[in-house]
Amino acid sequence: MSIKIAAICGSVRPGNYSHMAMELAVDELKKHPNVEVSTIELAPLELPLPGLQANKPEAIERFQKTVQEATGILLASPEYHGGISSPMKLAIDNLGFPSMLAGKPVSILGVAAGAIGAIKSSEQLRAICAHVGAVPLPLAVSIAHVQQVFDDDGRCTDAAAEKNIRRAATSLMDYINNAICPKVSLEAIMREMDNES
């Protein structure tokens, strides 16, 4: 089974830490055979506010199709003022209703400059994902003091933080391999048996 992962970065600031963390998780995902990862940067999409027309409808359609065709989702988001980033919320709002996230496992990776990390935003993101019918995975990854975790070139300098960031990827792959792949295989066997009878 080919596994497709959509990794969405919830920060649009150039050189942002969410992107740096997401890239580590994506690197971990790419270690798995048969995994195709699509990274999604939100700024170029010019996502419209709800109820407004898109400036780049083709880009929005590609974004929606990538998410719709994904087996699983990785959401990497900063915590801003105790909540999720507005670009991340806008991205979810642009995935339609019913949401294209519905039924998909979602791994949450949050970063923050403060001492408690991205706990508040991760819980908000978990609640939003559950509300639209996605399956937010337990043990969201929250990285505190993120400005001390990466150097100026975007390299992770904290081995424990790197292990946690990579866990966002391995948790997603574990869920897909243990819950989704067996289900797909069983469905294929059942269809084959139906065709033979």
Side-chain angles (χ1 to χ4, degrees):
M1 172 182 161
S2 178
I3 296 170
K4 295 183 177 180
I5 305 295
I8 303 172
C9 181
S11 177
V12 297
R13 183 179 59 80
N16 68 79
Y17 294 115
S18 297
H19 180 80
M20 293 175 192
M22 183 181 78
E23 285 301 312
L24 270 180
V26 166
D27 177 69
E28 189 66 28
L29 288 167
K30 288 182 176 178
K31 292 179 180 178
H32 295 265
N34 303 322
V35 173
E36 176 187 330
V37 182
S38 298
T39 57
I40 300 169
E41 300 294 335
L42 299 177
L45 299 178
E46 296 182 23
L47 294 166
L49 294 171
L52 299 180
Q53 294 296 317
N55 290 334
K56 296 183 175 179
E58 302 84 12
I60 306 296
E61 286 173 17
R62 280 193 305 274
F63 164 58
Q64 292 173 336
K65 184 177 181 191
T66 300
V67 171
Q68 189 171 34
E69 292 178 351
T71 313
I73 310 292
L74 171 68
L75 299 180
S77 185
E79 179 164 305
Y80 291 154
H81 306 292
I84 68 168
S85 71
S86 55
M88 182 60 81
K89 180 62 165 68
L90 194 55
I92 294 169
D93 289 342
N94 273 272
L95 289 172
F97 185 81
S99 177
M100 292 167 196
L101 289 174
K104 297 186 187 301
V106 175
S107 183
I108 297 170
L109 171 57
V111 303
I116 65 167
I119 293 171
K120 292 178 182 178
S121 62
S122 295
E123 285 306 310
Q124 289 175 3
L125 195 49
R126 177 190 306 283
I128 292 166
C129 288
H131 183 81
V132 299
V135 183
L137 300 181
L139 301 176
V141 174
S142 171
I143 303 299
H145 298 298
V146 70
Q147 71 282 10
Q148 297 169 15
V149 171
F150 292 94
D151 67 17
D152 293 338
D153 296 319
R155 289 186 299 265
C156 187
T157 58
D158 183 316
E162 180 172 350
K163 184 178 179 182
N164 277 337
I165 291 167
R166 290 181 181 276
R167 184 170 50 80
T170 55
S171 294
L172 183 58
M173 290 307 302
D174 287 348
Y175 183 88
I176 290 169
N177 287 324
N178 295 324
I180 295 177
C181 291
K183 178 183 171 191
V184 170
S185 298
L186 180 60
E187 287 172 359
I189 292 168
M190 297 303 290
R191 277 195 297 274
E192 193 173 296
M193 289 173 60
D194 285 345
N195 290 339
E196 290 175 359
S197 49

